[in-house]
């Protein structure tokens, strides 16, 4: 039975809020790409094998009662213990023998772990993950010990297994002088690690995946943040060669709490990006408008490429009042079911674009206001969004 519009909207909204995976991260340029920050690199650096193993159920009963490992419903679970081991210029974060049941599909929040001004800045992110069960990881920083993985303005780093060798997840190394400053003065006193587990096997896995962070204890001159643009309420019909999903955002002044951390940089610049969608994703891109004039495409990439941060060819300066238009394109040929928003990377979809930037900013979605154009005489409909509404209608986004 299909989902009602109300249930679909609530489902999409909940997942959109909890999967934020909405705000702050870092970039990288692949070999052969010549422009961008000096010193940024992505590599297959040697990593330790995660401390995970397949075990029978502790009770002694069969490890799985789900037959061929059919996926169970998507779950979002609260905080679990996050181990933190400080070394010489490094911080290792990981769960410990966390049970990933056969057939499960769940997001788990590990943490928090306290960090300090003396830790300096994160400049290298190395996934240490069992890619047979880890779909993605998101590192979130906050100024609240009681925060969670879903504090939208705190994303520091994100990574997904798509497009990578299962034995060699790619490492992100930021250029000299740029990174994520830690500690009270930058509003990052605690770290949480979100891990999305998908176990399609027939046995439970006990997993200790995580990340190894390299720290620059002298701090960095350019402090980075990440803004995520995303669309909720996705419902893609079957048999579509190219189906478009859209949303529009307006850039606003940062919240006062963010300004107090002294990270305001003028101008705010987008410097890197990462896209995220699942098996039906074809392309994700964000367009930039100011005063009704299109300034260009900030970034565009296929979600079937390695889902890492990539440097932009040149920085894009953003000002309050600018508009950002998000487009996600999908192909559902060969499917006989409607594809909804969700965490199953084979049957559900996402529409996420992570934009790394300098300074402070925030955005607000305008989709509902634009969609209000369909309601004649709606007093809340802003006339200055008329061109976007027409474009959305041409692209088939107003559904």
């Amino acid at each position: 039975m299909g989902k009602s519009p109300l249930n679909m909207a609530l489902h999409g909204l909940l997942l959109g809020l909890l999967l934020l995976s909405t705000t702050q991260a870092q970039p990288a340029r692949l070999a052969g790409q010549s422009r961008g920050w000096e010193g940024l690199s992505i590599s297959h650096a040697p990593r330790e094998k995660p401390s995970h193993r397949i075990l029978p159920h502790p009770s002694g009963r069969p490890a799985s009662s789900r037959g061929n490992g059919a996926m169970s419903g998507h779950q979002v679970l609260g905080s679990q213990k996050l181990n933190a081991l400080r070394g010489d210029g490094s911080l290792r974060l990981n769960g410990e023998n966390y049970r990933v049941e056969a057939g499960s599909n769940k997001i788990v929040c590990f943490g928090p772990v306290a960090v300090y001004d003396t830790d300096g800045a994160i400049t290298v992110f190395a996934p240490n993950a069992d890619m047979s069960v880890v779909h993605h990881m998101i590192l979130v920083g906050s100024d609240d010990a009681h925060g969670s993985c879903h504090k939208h303005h705190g994303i520091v780093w994100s990574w997904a297994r798509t497009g990578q060798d299962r034995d060699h997840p790619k490492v992100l190394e930021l250029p000299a002088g740029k990174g994520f400053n830690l500690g009270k003065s930058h509003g990052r006193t605690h770290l949480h690690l979100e891990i999305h587990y998908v176990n399609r096997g027939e046995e439970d896995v006990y997993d200790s995946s995580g990340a190894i962070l390299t720290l620059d204890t002298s701090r960095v001159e350019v402090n980075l943040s990440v803004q995520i643009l995303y669309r909720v309420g996705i419902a893609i019909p079957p048999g579509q060669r190219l189906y478009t999903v859209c949303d529009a955002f307006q850039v606003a002044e940062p919240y006062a709490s963010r300004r107090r951390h002294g990270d305001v940089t003028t101008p705010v610049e987008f410097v890197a990006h990462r896209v995220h969608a699942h098996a039906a994703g074809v392309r994700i891109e964000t367009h930039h408008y100011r005063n009704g004039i299109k300034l260009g495409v900030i970034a565009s990439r296929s979600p079937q490429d390695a889902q890492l941060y990539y440097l932009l060819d040149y920085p894009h300066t953003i000002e309050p009042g600018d508009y950002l238009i998000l487009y996600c394109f999908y192909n559902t040929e060969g499917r006989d079911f409607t594809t909804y928003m969700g965490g199953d990377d084979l049957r559900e979809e996402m529409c996420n674009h992570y934009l790394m930037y300098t300074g402070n900013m925030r955005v607000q979605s305008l989709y509902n206001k634009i969609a209000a154009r369909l309601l004649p005489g709606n007093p809340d409909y802003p006339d200055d969004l008329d061109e976007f509404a027409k474009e959305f209608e041409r692209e088939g986004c107003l559904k």
Side-chain angles (χ1 to χ4, degrees):
M1 180 179 296
K3 299 182 180 181
S4 72
L6 177 58
N7 286 340
M8 183 187 74
L10 292 175
H11 177 72
L13 179 60
L14 175 61
L15 284 171
L17 293 175
L18 295 180
L19 287 178
L20 279 143
S21 3
T22 163
T23 322
Q24 338 279 60
Q26 286 31 349
R29 177 172 297 279
L30 294 177
Q33 295 179 309
S34 59
R35 289 181 290 174
W37 292 344
E38 293 297 327
L40 180 74
S41 65
I42 301 178
S43 64
H44 296 285
R47 69 182 182 90
E48 297 181 1
K49 187 173 181 62
S51 160
H52 72 274
R53 58 198 186 280
I54 297 177
L55 298 174
H57 190 276
S59 68
R61 65 180 174 81
S64 173
S65 58
R66 296 190 178 93
N68 63 358
M71 298 300 295
S72 63
H74 179 90
Q75 300 175 343
V76 179
L77 304 180
S79 292
Q80 303 290 322
K81 181 182 178 181
L82 181 63
N83 292 332
L85 178 64
R86 283 178 168 81
D88 185 12
S90 69
L91 178 61
R92 179 193 304 266
L93 303 175
N94 65 275
E96 183 174 352
N97 292 331
Y98 182 81
R99 181 186 175 192
V100 186
E101 298 87 348
S104 63
N105 176 13
K106 58 185 178 181
I107 289 178
V108 183
C109 184
F110 293 89
V113 164
V115 290
Y116 311 94
D117 287 6
T118 52
D119 286 324
I122 306 172
T123 59
V124 179
F125 301 83
N128 192 37
D130 176 6
M131 294 169 69
S132 69
V133 293
V134 175
H135 169 269
H136 78 243
M137 296 190 293
I138 298 173
L139 185 65
V140 176
S142 75
D143 58 1
D144 182 1
H146 303 290
S148 74
C149 291
H150 314 297
K151 193 166 186 178
H152 298 173
H153 69 259
I155 295 177
V156 172
W157 168 73
S158 57
W159 166 92
R161 66 188 179 189
T162 303
Q164 297 166 73
D165 187 313
R166 289 294 174 97
D167 293 324
H168 300 285
K170 293 185 177 181
V171 174
L172 171 62
E173 181 176 357
L174 298 173
K178 299 176 176 68
F180 290 82
N181 284 324
L182 301 175
K184 186 175 181 180
S185 60
H186 292 279
R188 297 182 183 125
T189 59
H190 294 81
L191 297 176
H192 289 78
L193 183 64
E194 174 186 291
I195 301 182
H196 180 187
Y197 288 111
V198 180
N199 182 2
R200 291 190 169 87
E202 297 185 12
E203 295 182 304
D204 294 357
V205 171
Y206 287 77
D207 180 70
S208 297
S209 292
I212 302 172
L213 314 177
T214 299
L215 305 177
D216 181 346
T217 55
S218 63
R219 312 186 71 73
V220 294
E221 180 180 350
V222 180
N223 185 47
L224 301 173
S225 299
V226 174
Q227 173 69 55
I228 179 175
L229 308 180
Y230 67 105
R231 168 70 191 276
V232 299
I234 295 173
I236 308 170
Q240 302 295 305
R241 183 172 185 179
L242 194 66
Y243 187 89
T244 307
V245 168
C246 309
D247 205 342
F249 304 83
Q250 187 169 30
V251 179
E253 294 283 356
Y255 292 109
S257 61
R258 300 290 309 284
R259 293 196 297 267
R260 285 199 300 269
H261 296 309
D263 292 337
V264 177
T265 300
T266 304
V268 171
E269 291 181 342
F270 287 133
V271 295
H273 78 115
R274 170 185 173 257
V275 301
H276 181 65
H278 295 156
V282 174
R283 200 155 196 88
I284 295 177
E285 56 191 42
T286 295
H287 299 198
H288 181 199
Y289 288 80
R290 181 178 297 154
N291 299 324
I293 299 173
K294 183 176 179 178
L295 300 183
V297 178
I298 293 176
S300 177
R301 198 164 195 95
S302 168
Q304 305 311 318
D305 294 339
Q307 291 197 11
L308 313 165
Y309 285 94
Y310 297 88
L311 283 180
L312 303 182
D313 288 335
Y314 54 88
H316 286 256
T317 302
I318 304 298
E319 298 178 358
D322 287 359
Y323 293 97
L324 306 174
I325 312 300
L326 170 67
Y327 294 96
C328 296
F329 304 97
Y330 304 92
N331 182 316
T332 58
E333 291 179 313
R335 294 190 175 187
D336 59 1
F337 55 89
T338 298
T339 301
Y340 294 101
M341 180 179 178
D344 186 334
D345 56 352
L346 297 182
R347 297 180 60 88
E348 297 177 315
E349 272 303 336
M350 303 292 294
C351 175
N352 294 351
H353 203 171
Y354 298 79
L355 298 170
M356 183 188 305
Y357 66 94
T358 63
N360 273 326
M361 62 168 288
R362 64 185 176 97
V363 300
Q364 53 190 13
S365 174
L366 301 172
Y367 182 85
N368 288 337
K369 291 182 179 180
I370 291 175
R373 180 178 185 274
L374 300 178
L375 302 177
N378 187 328
D380 295 327
Y381 174 66
D383 293 336
D384 62 337
L385 299 182
D386 186 62
E387 288 303 315
F388 295 137
K390 291 178 181 177
E391 180 174 349
F392 275 27
E393 219 165 23
R394 286 193 299 269
E395 293 288 344
C397 297
L398 292 174
K399 301 179 179 71

